[in-house]
Amino acid sequence: MKTVGVAILGLGVVGSGTYKILRDHREFYRKTQGVDLSVESVLEINKQRALDLGIEESKISDNIAEVVSNPNVDIVVEVIGGVEPAKSFVLAALHSGKSVVTSNKELFCKYWYELEAAARRTNAGLYYEASCVGGVPIIRTLIDGLQANVVQSLTGIINGTTNYILTRMSREGSDYKEVLKDAQKLGYAEKDPTADVEGYDAAYKLSILSSLAFHKRVPLENVYREGITNISVKDIEYGKELGYVLKLLAIGKNDGKNSIEVRVHPAFIRKDHPLASVNDSFNAVYLVGDSVGDVMLYGRGAGDFPTGSAIVSDVIYAATHSEVKYATFKNTEEPDKNTKFVTDFRSRYFIRFTAKDKAGVLAKVAGVFAKYNISIIDLIQKGEGIDEIPIILITHETNEFSLRRAIEKIAEIDDVVSVDSTIRVEG
Ligand code: HSE
């Protein structure tokens, strides 16, 4: 039986999970996959951490050159995260002709073209299932399961931290800051939560997933991004009254020609939408293909064993396939000039504003919407006997830019005290 040597760069949560899966399933993979996967080297500065996992001292290194020049290593797993030193380490492995398996979404979405070019030069494999949605096999589904389709849209809850925070805000009626603090204590959110709560993590993943789904490179700069830091629990409560659930959505749309729309932002969806019941730190991706119709994948988007599961599935693939597959599109630094990235996208909107409780104020607001050709579906006025009242309205589908102009004009109306939130309504 063929023995394939694996090196793991970094024994953090995911690296340790990956090591344990490989160690504990070695015999299982020998039987089911016909390959003997042997961890031959680990790159880890904290030697004790590696020893505690039962790794032999001779296999622990703090020198990347030593790891990638080890003739017993065929596949290098990068689970360090961030751009550097991960990028230099991955390039060193590819230059040495080793196949690379990575969970690094930031590195991959920013430097995919450079990594792929390096891999092609030495005919090495480059695998990244774990970079998007952890244990959910979304990348293999796009490449090997749905390749018969023109994928028309992809809508996902692809960040577990924000889904956990929004779920708790909705369940408990607690505000954002309170839930974030608790999420940090419980280990669901990082000490510096920016990447998750400002939507960067979801944008990295959407850049990768939409490039694969639509067969065109979708650079990170073209992904519109808004996080959840300005979400008020009041919006979640009012949305609930109207039959909506608030989620941080990653949305990709493809017109099948040259127009692509990619955006990450909080959005209301109807409570009976398939994504509405994806709660806590769970992730899901809902896809529509022209032949298959609707497909949804659901599962854990992070964690030692879920992400380790995706990594080991790539290791097995790399160990059992000699032919290497790369991106189906021209993977260059500059994206295809013919691709148009839509910015004036269409959506419905939930708008909450505070106004003086005076005759005529609603007529003035309605007048502005009429001027911009925006039609209102629903309107609720809250509170009685108070001078300043909250008003919530939902619009029909309209263009983003018209909506923004209308909101500016509404804020200028004398009796409007403040425009408090504008949230898109999808699905
Ligand atoms: N921080 C990410 C999340 C997990 O909350 O989903 C890894 O991408």
Side-chain angles (χ1 to χ4, degrees):
M1 183 176 303
K2 182 164 112 173
T3 298
V4 173
V6 179
I8 303 175
L9 312 184
L11 288 178
V13 173
V14 175
S16 301
T18 301
Y19 175 75
K20 287 179 196 163
I21 295 173
L22 284 167
R23 180 192 64 195
D24 299 344
H25 293 68
R26 188 164 175 178
E27 191 48 37
F28 175 68
Y29 301 143
R30 283 170 59 91
K31 281 196 200 130
T32 59
Q33 307 298 323
V35 65
D36 185 29
L37 298 174
S38 163
V39 177
E40 289 295 320
S41 176
V42 295
L43 183 80
E44 174 57 56
I45 19 182
N46 183 345
K47 197 169 175 185
Q48 194 53 47
R49 185 182 283 170
L51 292 171
D52 290 348
L53 282 166
I55 299 170
E56 286 165 48
E57 196 161 355
S58 62
K59 294 188 173 172
I60 308 167
S61 173
D62 57 5
N63 181 341
I64 185 68
E66 185 179 73
V67 176
V68 299
S69 61
N70 183 336
N72 296 331
V73 169
D74 303 290
I75 298 168
V76 174
V77 173
E78 184 273 310
V79 277
I80 298 165
V83 172
E84 281 298 352
K87 185 179 173 214
S88 307
F89 292 180
V90 166
L91 286 172
L94 294 171
H95 291 152
S96 308
K98 316 280 185 197
S99 287
V100 166
V101 171
T102 177
S103 61
N104 193 330
K105 69 225 83 164
E106 183 180 358
L107 172 65
F108 212 77
C109 93
K110 291 181 178 168
Y111 296 101
W112 187 347
Y113 59 90
E114 196 177 330
L115 304 181
E116 185 173 306
R120 282 177 188 272
R121 278 196 289 273
T122 55
N123 198 31
L126 181 57
Y127 304 96
Y128 46 95
E129 180 64 69
S131 67
C132 295
V133 208
V136 177
I138 178 68
I139 289 178
R140 197 146 299 122
T141 298
L142 286 169
I143 296 176
D144 274 337
L146 294 180
Q147 70 274 57
N149 290 261
V150 174
V151 176
Q152 295 161 332
S153 69
L154 174 165
T155 310
I157 295 172
I158 58 178
N159 180 269
T161 306
T162 46
N163 203 35
Y164 176 82
I165 293 172
L166 292 174
T167 302
R168 284 201 44 195
M169 286 172 75
S170 172
R171 257 186 214 145
E172 297 161 19
S174 316
D175 77 25
Y176 167 74
K177 285 200 173 124
E178 202 182 312
V179 177
L180 172 64
K181 255 194 213 149
D182 209 37
Q184 285 170 316
K185 253 192 245 154
L186 293 167
Y188 283 100
E190 307 268 351
K191 223 197 254 163
D192 175 0
T194 315
D196 292 315
V197 298
E198 294 291 3
Y200 290 100
D201 176 81
Y204 297 150
K205 294 169 186 166
L206 183 60
S207 156
I208 298 170
L209 293 178
S210 51
S211 297
L212 291 170
F214 306 146
H215 305 279
K216 289 182 181 8
R217 196 166 94 75
V218 177
L220 182 64
E221 308 81 82
N222 293 95
V223 179
Y224 174 84
R225 177 192 54 77
E226 257 177 50
I228 64 162
T229 49
N230 291 325
I231 293 294
S232 157
V233 69
K234 282 186 199 159
D235 295 319
I236 296 180
E237 299 288 325
Y238 290 138
K240 243 191 229 176
E241 278 182 43
L242 293 163
Y244 295 108
V245 176
L246 189 77
K247 296 289 180 192
L248 181 73
L249 292 188
I251 299 169
K253 291 184 184 173
N254 171 28
D255 74 349
K257 292 176 212 136
N258 285 320
S259 275
I260 285 179
E261 185 174 319
V262 269
R263 44 192 168 107
V264 169
H265 53 69
F268 280 115
I269 45 176
R270 297 277 334 162
K271 65 175 187 232
D272 54 4
H273 188 285
L275 290 171
S277 53
V278 176
N279 285 320
D280 300 304
S281 61
F282 277 94
N283 285 201
V285 182
Y286 178 78
L287 298 150
V288 182
D290 66 341
S291 301
V292 70
D294 300 0
V295 173
M296 185 157 133
L297 282 89
Y298 168 91
R300 291 260 175 223
D304 51 0
F305 293 133
T307 309
S309 156
I311 289 169
V312 175
S313 82
D314 273 350
V315 169
I316 292 172
Y317 189 94
T320 53
H321 290 74
S322 53
E323 201 180 309
V324 177
K325 280 189 193 175
Y326 300 113
T328 53
F329 48 89
K330 204 169 155 214
N331 201 354
T332 50
E333 183 166 5
E334 290 302 320
D336 183 350
K337 285 199 171 45
N338 294 322
T339 305
K340 186 172 156 256
F341 292 100
V342 179
T343 48
D344 190 13
F345 39 80
R346 290 181 68 75
S347 181
R348 289 182 293 139
Y349 292 83
F350 164 106
I351 298 150
R352 175 168 65 89
F353 59 98
T354 306
K356 298 215 171 108
D357 195 7
K358 277 193 187 166
V361 61
L362 282 181
K364 285 183 198 163
V365 170
V368 172
F369 280 122
K371 186 172 163 212
Y372 288 95
N373 206 18
I374 299 169
S375 144
I376 297 167
I377 305 177
D378 233 330
L379 185 145
I380 9 174
Q381 179 177 322
K382 291 284 181 182
E384 257 180 69
I386 47 171
D387 294 342
E388 294 180 354
I389 50 161
I391 297 170
I392 294 98
L393 56 83
I394 308 267
T395 72
H396 273 288
E397 195 173 86
T398 183
N399 282 72
E400 176 83 11
F401 293 167
S402 308
L403 193 278
R404 286 188 205 165
R405 280 193 290 270
I407 293 290
E408 278 169 23
K409 293 290 170 203
I410 286 167
E412 287 168 10
I413 298 172
D414 275 351
D415 294 328
V416 169
V417 180
S418 54
V419 177
D420 305 307
S421 2
T422 305
I423 298 173
R424 296 168 191 89
V425 179
E426 295 290 330

